[in-house]
C-alpha cells in the first residue's frame, strides 16, 4: 500500500514539474497567441491581452494557471477564445483513446499469434515470413503505410473513406496504420520470448509430467512468455494513445495529437499546457496499470505491494 | 482480460463516433478558431460565417459587385462619404426574433469599440451613424440607416457583404444566432461545424441545400483524397504537388483562379544593408519574376507591382526604369552577410531557393535562407528583426488602397520601418479624395513611389487552387474566394449520389 502511495506521490510531483516546464517553455517561444498576418489595432491587442491576463507579471500568470490546474480547469483556449480547454479535452480525448485502443487490439490480435506461430516453426517458412514482414513494417514510417492503405482500401476496394467519415468505419484504417508497426514489434518480442521459454526446462518437464499439449502451451509457454510482453505493453499503450499525431492529421481525426502540436504552434498557452498535463497523467496511469499486470503474471515482480 | 478490453473499447468507440453528415460536405482547411463575425480575420472562419451571417449587401458571386442583401436599397453620396441603407421589412434572426435597424447600429458601434477585440475595429473609425426606426404602422417600412465617414469609403457597399459588418444579435451569442442563409446546428473543435437552412433568412426560398458540414482538414493532401473519393464537394486549396496532374486530368473541377492577393519581399530599411536605396534596388533588379513564376509551374502570374492587375478601373504605374538597367552593388556591401527570412512551407522554400539562385547569378552574392515557423516569423517581422522577408497580402475589398495603405508609416502592417512623408501624404490625399479619377491618380503615384524606393520586391500574384465539384451550381471562382452559400445548389441534371 505504501508503495502505491509512493508511486502516486512521485506521479503528482511529475505532473507539477511538467506543468511548470511547459508553462515557462511556451512563454519563452517568440510570438504570441494574437499575432496574425494582419496586425490587430494596438488598443484592441492590449484589450485582448488584458482579457486573458497576459498583461500580468509572468509569476502571477503562473500561479493563476497552477491554481486553475489544481481545480481541473486550464482556462479558456487562447485560439478558440469562446471554448474552454477542458471542453476541448473532453471532445478530443475519446477520439484518441478509441484510436489507441483500436490500434492496440490490432497489434495484440496480429502480433502475439504471429510471434508464437513463428517460434513454433523456428527457421521454417512461417518464421521467415513473420520476421521479414515485421522488419518491413518497422522500417516503413506510418504515413507511408497510411498512403498505401488509403490507396488500397479507399480508392481500390472502396471499403472505407480516405479520411474523416462517420462512425466505426472512420476508425478502421487509422487504427490499422497505427497498430501495424506495434504488431510487428510485438511479433518479434513474442517470438524471442517464446523461444527462450521453449529452450528452457519448463515445457519439457511439464510434458514429462504428462500434461496435455494445450495445457503445456497455455501454462508453461504462453504465461512465462507474457512477462516481457507486458513490460513492453505499458509504455506502448501510452505511446499508442498519445502518439497518433501523424495518423490523426492524415485521416483528419479530431483527436488530441493534432491539438498537441497545433496548440504549441498557435501559442495557445492554456491548451498546450492542458494537453501536456493530460498526456503526462495518462502516461503515469498506464505505466501503473502495466506494473500491476506484471505483478499478477510474474510473482517475482512486486510492483505495488509490500 | 481481453474481454474486458473489448468491453471498454465498445464503450468508448461510440463516444468517438460522429453524427452522420447531410447535404453538402465541405473541407474547410484550417480549424475554425472563432465563430464571431467581428472578431476574426481568418479565411476559414469567414467561409463558415458567410453562411451564418448576412450583410446589408451581398456580392454577385461572379463579378463581386454589391447587390441588395438585408438592405433592399443602398446609395452613396459625396463620393462615398455618406451611405444610406434602407432595410427590408420583416427581417428576422435565425431564432425567429425580429431584426431591426437598431440592431445594425448597435453591431457597428460594437465593431468600432476596441474593447470588443475586432481586427476590423478601425473600419468605422470616426464614422457617425443615424438610424430611422421602421414605422410601426407601415408594414412595408424596414427603417433606414445613414453612416457618414470622415473621408470617402467608395468600397463600403462591398465591405458590407463582409462578415465583420454583418449585424450581430444582441439577445443571443452570434456564434449561434445570425441572419444568414444557414443557421448554427453544432460545432466540435477540430472536427466540424454543421449548419442547416435558416427558414427566417430573407431569401430563404432560394436556398436549396438543406445543410452544410464544414470539416476541419488541415492537410491539403487529405482534402484532395476526400475530394477525389467524393466525400467532400469543395476544398479551398489543392496541394501544390498535385497541380500539374489536376490540370491535366480534372480540368472540370480544378481551374486556378487569380486572387486579389500578392506575394512580395519586404526590406527592413532602418538598418544596414538595406537602409541604402542602391542596395535595395540592386536586389530588386536582380529578381526575374517571369523566371520565378515559370519555376512554380506557370500557375501564378508574375508580379511587377504590389496591386493586383485585376483591380477594377486600375492602371498600374510604369515599372521603375532602373529595373532594366540595374545599378551595380557597391563593393563594401559585398562583405555583408545577407539573409532572406520566410515562414516554413514547401512553396516558400521553393520560392526562396529560386531567389537565392537569381541573386547568385545576377549579383554574384550568396544569400542565406532562414525559415521560421509562423508565429516566430511574424514576431521577427513585426520586431523588424530581419533583412529581407517573404510577405503576402490579401486585399479585403477590391480597391488598390487595400494594398497601398499597409505601407503608410502609421500602419501596423508596414513592418519595414519605412516612413516616408511623400507616401503618407499621397495615401492621405487619396483617402480624402471623392473624385474617382483623381483618387486613382494619387494611388497610382503612391505605388510608383513605393516601387521606386524599392521598399518591396513584387514576386507574383496569388492564385486560388480551389477544388469544386462540377455538379455544384452557384459556387463560382472569383477574385476573393467569396462564396454565397445561399445561392449554391446541386445541378438538377446530376443529383449527388
Amino acid at each position: 500500500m505504501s508503495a502505491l502511495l509512493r508511486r502516486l506521490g512521485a506521479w503528482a510531483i511529475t505532473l507539477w514539474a511538467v506543468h511548470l516546464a511547459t508553462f515557462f517553455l511556451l512563454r519563452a517561444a517568440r510570438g504570441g497567441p494574437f499575432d496574425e498576418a494582419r496586425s490587430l489595432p494596438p488598443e484592441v491587442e492590449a484589450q485582448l491581452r488584458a482579457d486573458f491576463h497576459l498583461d500580468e507579471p509572468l509569476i502571477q500568470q503562473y500561479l493563476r494557471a497552477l491554481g486553475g490546474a489544481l481545480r481541473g480547469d486550464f482556462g479558456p483556449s487562447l485560439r478558440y477564445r469562446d471554448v474552454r480547454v477542458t471542453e476541448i479535452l473532453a471532445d478530443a480525448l475519446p477520439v484518441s483513446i478509441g484510436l489507441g485502443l483500436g490500434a492496440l487490439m490490432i497489434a495484440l490480435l496480429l502480433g502475439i499469434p504471429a510471434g508464437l506461430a513463428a517460434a513454433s516453426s523456428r527457421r521454417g517458412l512461417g518464421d521467415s515470413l513473420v520476421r521479414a514482414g515485421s522488419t518491413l513494417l518497422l522500417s516503413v514510417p506510418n504515413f507511408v503505410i497510411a498512403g498505401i492503405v488509403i490507396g488500397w482500401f479507399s480508392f481500390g476496394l472502396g471499403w472505407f473513406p480516405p479520411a474523416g467519415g462517420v462512425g466505426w468505419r472512420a476508425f478502421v484504417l487509422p487504427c490499422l496504420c497505427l497498430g501495424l508497426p506495434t504488431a510487428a514489434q510485438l511479433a518479434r518480442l513474442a517470438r524471442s520470448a517464446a523461444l527462450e521459454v521453449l529452450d528452457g526446462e519448463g515445457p519439457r518437464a511439464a510434458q514429462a509430467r504428462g500434461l496435455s499439449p494445450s495445457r503445456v502451451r497455455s501454462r508453461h509457454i504462453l504465461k512465462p512468455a507474457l512477462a516481457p510482453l507486458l513490460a513492453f505493453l505499458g509504455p506502448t499503450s501510452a505511446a499508442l494513445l498519445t502518439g497518433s499525431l501523424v495518423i490523426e492529421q492524415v485521416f483528419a481525426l479530431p483527436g488530441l495529437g493534432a491539438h498537441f502540436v497545433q496548440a504549441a504552434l498557435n501559442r495557445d498557452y492554456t491548451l498546450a499546457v492542458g494537453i501536456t498535463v493530460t498526456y503526462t497523467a495518462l502516461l503515469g496511469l498506464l505505466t501503473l496499470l502495466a506494473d500491476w499486470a506484471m505483478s499478477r503474471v510474474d510473482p517475482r515482480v512486486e510492483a505495488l505491494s509490500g | 482480460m481481453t474481454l474486458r478490453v473489448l468491453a471498454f473499447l465498445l464503450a468508448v468507440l461510440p463516444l468517438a463516433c460522429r453524427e452522420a453528415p447531410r447535404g453538402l460536405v465541405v473541407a474547410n482547411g484550417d480549424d475554425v478558431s472563432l465563430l464571431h463575425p467581428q472578431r476574426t480575420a481568418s479565411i476559414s472562419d469567414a467561409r463558415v460565417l458567410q453562411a451564418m451571417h448576412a450583410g446589408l449587401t451581398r456580392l454577385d458571386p461572379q463579378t463581386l459587385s454589391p447587390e441588395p442583401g438585408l438592405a433592399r436599397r443602398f446609395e452613396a453620396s459625396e463620393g462615398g462619404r455618406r451611405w444610406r441603407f434602407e432595410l427590408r421589412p420583416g427581417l428576422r434572426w435565425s431564432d425567429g426574433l425580429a431584426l431591426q435597424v437598431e440592431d445594425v447600429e448597435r453591431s457597428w458601434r460594437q465593431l468600432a469599440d476596441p474593447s470588443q477585440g475586432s481586427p476590423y475595429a478601425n473600419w468605422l473609425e470616426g464614422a457617425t451613424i443615424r438610424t430611422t426606426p421602421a414605422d410601426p404602422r407601415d408594414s412595408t417600412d424596414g427603417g433606414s440607416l445613414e453612416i457618414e465617414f470622415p473621408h470617402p469609403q467608395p468600397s463600403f457597399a462591398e465591405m458590407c457583404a463582409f462578415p465583420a459588418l454583418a449585424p450581430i444579435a444582441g439577445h443571443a451569442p452570434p456564434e449561434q444566432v445570425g441572419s444568414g442563409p444557414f443557421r448554427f446546428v453544432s460545432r466540435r473543435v477540430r472536427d466540424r461545424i454543421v449548419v442547416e437552412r435558416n427558414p427566417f433568412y430573407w431569401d430563404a426560398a432560394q436556398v436549396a441545400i438543406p445543410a452544410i458540414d464544414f470539416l476541419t482538414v488541415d492537410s491539403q493532401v487529405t482534402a484532395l483524397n476526400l475530394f477525389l473519393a467524393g466525400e467532400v464537394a469543395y476544398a479551398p486549396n489543392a496541394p501544390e504537388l498535385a497541380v500539374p496532374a489536376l490540370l491535366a486530368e480534372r480540368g472540370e473541377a480544378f481551374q486556378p483562379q487569380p486572387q486579389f492577393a500578392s506575394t512580395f519581399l519586404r526590406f527592413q530599411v532602418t538598418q544596414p544593408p538595406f537602409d541604402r536605396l542602391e542596395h535595395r534596388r540592386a536586389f530588386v533588379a536582380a529578381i526575374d519574376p517571369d523566371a520565378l513564376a515559370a519555376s512554380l509551374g506557370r500557375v501564378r502570374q508574375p508580379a511587377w507591382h504590389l496591386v493586383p492587375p485585376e483591380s477594377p478601373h486600375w492602371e498600374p504605374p510604369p515599372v521603375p526604369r532602373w529595373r532594366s538597367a540595374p545599378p551595380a552593388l557597391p563593393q563594401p556591401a559585398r562583405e555583408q552577410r545577407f539573409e532572406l527570412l520566410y515562414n516554413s512551407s514547401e512553396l516558400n522554400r521553393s520560392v526562396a531557393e529560386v531567389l537565392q539562385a537569381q541573386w547568385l547569378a545576377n549579383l554574384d552574392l550568396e544569400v542565406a535562407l532562414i525559415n521560421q515557423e509562423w508565429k516566430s516569423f511574424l514576431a521577427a517581422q513585426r520586431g523588424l528583426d530581419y533583412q529581407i522577408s517573404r510577405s503576402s497580402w490579401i486585399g479585403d475589398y477590391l480597391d488598390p488602397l487595400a494594398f497601398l495603405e499597409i505601407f503608410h508609416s502609421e500602419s501596423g502592417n508596414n513592418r519595414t520601418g519605412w516612413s516616408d512623408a511623400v507616401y503618407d501624404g499621397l495615401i492621405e490625399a487619396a483617402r480624402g479624395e471623392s473624385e474617382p479619377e483623381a483618387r486613382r491618380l494619387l494611388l497610382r503615384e503612391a505605388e510608383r513611389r513605393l516601387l521606386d524606393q524599392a521598399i518591396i520586391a513584387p514576386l507574383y500574384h496569388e492564385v486560388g487552387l480551389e477544388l469544386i465539384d462540377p455538379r455544384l451550381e452557384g459556387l463560382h471562382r472569383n477574385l476573393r474566394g467569396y462564396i454565397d452559400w445561399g445561392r449554391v445548389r446541386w445541378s438538377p441534371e446530376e443529383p449527388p449520389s
Side-chain angles (χ1 to χ4, degrees):
Chain A
M1 196 58 208
S2 68
L4 179 64
L5 283 178
R6 258 205 315 277
R7 285 287 293 269
L8 287 177
W11 190 30
I13 292 174
T14 312
L15 278 179
W16 168 74
V18 165
H19 182 269
L20 179 88
T22 318
F23 182 92
F24 285 101
L25 280 174
L26 277 167
R27 302 305 170 108
R30 282 181 94 173
F34 308 124
D35 285 345
E36 287 304 336
R38 176 183 310 275
S39 294
L40 288 171
E43 58 280 17
V44 173
E45 188 170 344
Q47 181 70 43
L48 276 174
R49 293 182 65 81
D51 287 350
F52 291 93
H53 307 289
L54 297 178
D55 55 345
E56 291 174 354
L58 202 55
I59 190 72
Q60 201 173 331
Q61 291 182 45
Y62 171 69
L63 291 175
R64 181 188 297 281
L66 185 65
L70 287 174
R71 293 190 307 273
D73 177 13
F74 296 100
S77 156
L78 299 179
R79 173 179 155 86
Y80 312 97
R81 281 178 250 154
D82 43 1
V83 186
R84 297 198 81 75
V85 169
T86 39
E87 294 174 62
I88 296 177
L89 292 175
D91 270 352
L93 205 54
V95 177
S96 287
I97 290 182
L99 182 58
L101 284 181
L104 190 63
M105 292 298 290
I106 288 176
L108 288 172
L109 293 178
L110 291 181
I112 296 184
L116 294 181
S120 64
S121 73
R122 189 185 329 193
R123 298 210 178 81
L125 179 66
D127 190 19
S128 310
L129 277 179
V130 168
R131 279 194 296 163
S134 58
T135 309
L136 188 73
L137 282 175
L138 280 174
S139 47
V140 178
N142 59 7
F143 57 87
V144 176
I145 299 181
I148 296 169
V149 161
I150 291 172
W152 200 3
F153 287 104
S154 300
F155 290 105
L157 299 166
W159 288 354
F160 302 105
V166 175
W168 65 273
R169 289 176 74 236
F171 281 81
V172 175
L173 296 188
C175 287
L176 197 63
C177 296
L178 197 60
L180 281 178
T182 311
Q185 263 172 311
L186 268 177
R188 292 169 77 99
L189 216 71
R191 178 184 173 275
S192 58
L195 284 180
E196 204 175 308
V197 177
L198 280 173
D199 289 344
E201 304 279 311
R204 249 176 299 164
Q207 228 166 357
R209 286 205 305 276
L211 293 178
S212 69
S214 67
R215 197 162 169 82
V216 172
R217 262 205 301 277
S218 67
R219 292 222 66 155
H220 297 274
I221 301 180
L222 194 57
K223 199 171 171 192
L226 266 183
L229 291 183
L230 276 175
F232 167 78
L233 275 180
T236 303
S237 321
L240 284 179
L241 291 184
T242 56
S244 45
L245 158 75
V246 176
I247 294 299
E248 284 178 15
Q249 200 116 34
V250 169
F251 289 97
L253 289 174
L256 268 193
H259 271 306
F260 190 33
V261 174
Q262 284 304 327
L265 290 178
N266 292 329
R267 307 290 188 272
D268 191 340
Y269 304 134
T270 47
L271 182 57
V273 167
I275 295 179
T276 315
V277 170
T278 307
Y279 271 163
T280 314
L282 216 57
L283 198 69
L285 187 70
L286 289 167
T287 320
L288 210 63
L289 273 177
D291 288 354
W292 171 79
M294 280 276 284
S295 71
R296 295 288 297 265
V297 171
D298 188 343
R300 285 168 302 177
V301 180
E302 293 186 25
L304 304 174
S305 54
Chain B
M1 179 71 186
T2 318
L3 268 179
R4 261 180 263 171
V5 172
L6 199 63
F8 184 52
L9 186 70
L10 288 176
V12 166
L13 265 183
L15 283 176
C17 298
R18 303 176 275 182
E19 40 224 270
R22 307 171 281 157
L24 184 61
V25 185
V26 164
N28 193 37
D30 290 345
D31 198 16
V32 166
S33 57
L34 294 167
L35 271 184
H36 191 303
Q38 295 182 342
R39 295 190 186 159
T40 173
S42 137
I43 296 171
S44 43
D45 293 10
R47 256 192 298 272
V48 181
L49 291 169
Q50 219 49 278
M52 286 170 51
H53 295 271
L56 294 193
T57 61
R58 61 181 186 180
L59 305 182
D60 179 306
Q62 278 173 294
T63 64
L64 297 183
S65 62
E67 300 172 346
L70 295 176
R72 63 180 165 188
R73 261 192 285 280
F74 56 89
E75 59 189 4
S77 52
E78 297 176 37
R81 210 170 72 78
R82 282 169 193 270
W83 285 84
R84 183 172 182 280
F85 297 87
E86 206 176 289
L87 255 64
R88 293 175 194 275
L91 291 172
R92 295 195 177 276
W93 295 105
S94 58
D95 57 1
L97 293 180
L99 189 168
Q100 286 157 334
V101 69
E102 291 88 339
D103 289 313
V104 184
E105 180 181 357
R106 178 183 42 74
S107 307
W108 286 4
R109 290 196 190 286
Q110 190 175 323
L111 176 70
D113 175 0
S115 74
Q116 295 297 316
S118 174
Y120 299 101
N122 48 11
W123 270 14
L124 301 180
E125 215 168 22
T128 51
I129 305 168
R130 270 187 307 277
T131 52
T132 313
D135 180 351
R137 288 159 303 176
D138 180 0
S139 64
T140 63
D141 182 15
S144 67
L145 175 139
E146 271 185 40
I147 183 163
E148 186 180 331
F149 291 97
H151 43 72
Q153 282 281 20
S155 305
F156 191 63
E158 186 198 330
M159 291 156 83
C160 281
F162 201 75
L165 284 172
I168 54 171
H171 64 281
E175 288 82 356
Q176 286 170 18
V177 171
S179 59
F182 292 86
R183 62 181 179 184
F184 178 82
V185 175
S186 66
R187 171 188 190 186
R188 195 157 120 181
V189 171
R190 281 212 81 78
D191 181 17
R192 69 181 66 204
I193 291 170
V194 182
V195 296
E196 65 179 7
R197 198 171 157 272
N198 171 14
F200 301 107
Y201 177 52
W202 68 266
D203 198 16
Q206 295 301 315
V207 181
I209 303 270
I212 310 177
D213 280 38
F214 292 93
L215 308 189
T216 298
V217 186
D218 291 325
S219 155
Q220 295 174 354
V221 175
T222 304
L224 174 63
N225 280 342
L226 285 168
F227 184 82
L228 293 177
E231 300 273 338
V232 302
Y234 172 88
N237 295 301
E240 210 56 48
L241 277 174
V243 167
L246 286 168
L247 282 173
E249 292 163 27
R250 295 276 173 159
E252 76 290 358
F254 181 72
Q255 291 142 27
Q257 154 75 37
Q259 294 291 291
F260 200 56
S262 299
T263 293
F264 53 94
L265 300 178
R266 279 181 164 95
F267 289 95
Q268 203 278 74
V269 304
T270 64
Q271 277 171 5
F274 295 113
D275 54 342
R276 296 187 54 181
L277 179 62
E278 62 267 39
H279 294 179
R280 299 197 296 269
R281 283 185 174 171
F283 267 72
V284 174
I287 294 172
D288 178 356
D290 287 326
L292 175 67
S295 74
L296 299 177
R298 298 187 194 281
V299 186
R300 295 174 174 80
Q301 199 182 345
W304 301 84
H305 297 89
L306 174 66
V307 178
E310 288 82 8
S311 287
H313 318 293
W314 178 246
E315 191 198 330
V319 174
R321 227 174 296 151
W322 49 261
R323 279 204 78 155
S324 46
L329 195 66
Q331 190 54 40
R334 304 193 153 271
E335 281 131 41
Q336 294 253 6
R337 177 184 156 87
F338 292 96
E339 290 173 354
L340 165 62
L341 175 72
Y342 64 95
N343 58 302
S344 313
S345 92
E346 283 291 318
L347 175 66
N348 292 350
R349 195 182 62 197
S350 310
V351 170
E353 284 169 356
V354 172
L355 293 173
Q356 189 183 39
Q358 291 186 350
W359 283 321
L360 184 63
N362 300 332
L363 292 177
D364 193 22
L365 269 182
E366 185 79 49
V367 176
L369 303 184
I370 298 177
N371 76 89
Q372 291 179 350
E373 53 86 37
W374 181 233
K375 293 278 184 175
S376 305
F377 167 81
L378 283 178
Q381 210 181 55
R382 286 180 75 173
L384 300 184
D385 183 15
Y386 71 92
Q387 290 184 349
I388 313 172
S389 127
R390 192 215 85 102
S391 308
S392 58
W393 192 255
I394 304 172
D396 282 327
Y397 42 94
L398 299 181
D399 182 346
L401 187 64
F403 281 85
L404 294 169
E405 69 182 355
I406 64 178
F407 292 103
H408 189 283
S409 57
E410 280 172 23
S411 163
N413 297 312
N414 179 311
R415 301 179 189 175
T416 58
W418 187 51
S419 171
D420 183 56
V422 177
Y423 188 82
D424 289 357
L426 287 165
I427 294 294
E428 280 153 25
R431 275 191 192 136
E433 180 58 61
S434 53
E435 206 282 303
E437 187 51 31
R439 183 174 184 274
R440 262 196 295 280
L441 287 176
L442 287 164
L443 289 174
R444 192 162 175 258
E445 180 55 22
E447 185 171 29
R448 197 198 60 74
R449 173 93 185 155
L450 178 76
L451 297 175
D452 187 57
Q453 292 295 304
I455 305 306
I456 61 159
L459 298 178
Y460 53 83
H461 298 298
E462 259 312 335
V463 74
L465 301 177
E466 291 163 299
L467 290 159
I468 302 178
D469 192 317
R471 296 169 301 173
L472 281 178
E473 287 178 354
L475 212 169
H476 298 281
R477 295 174 174 84
N478 55 52
L479 273 179
R480 279 189 33 195
Y482 168 86
I483 300 171
D484 183 348
W485 296 104
R487 286 190 268 189
V488 175
R489 57 183 65 233
W490 290 105
S491 144
E493 292 88 50
E494 290 178 273
S497 53

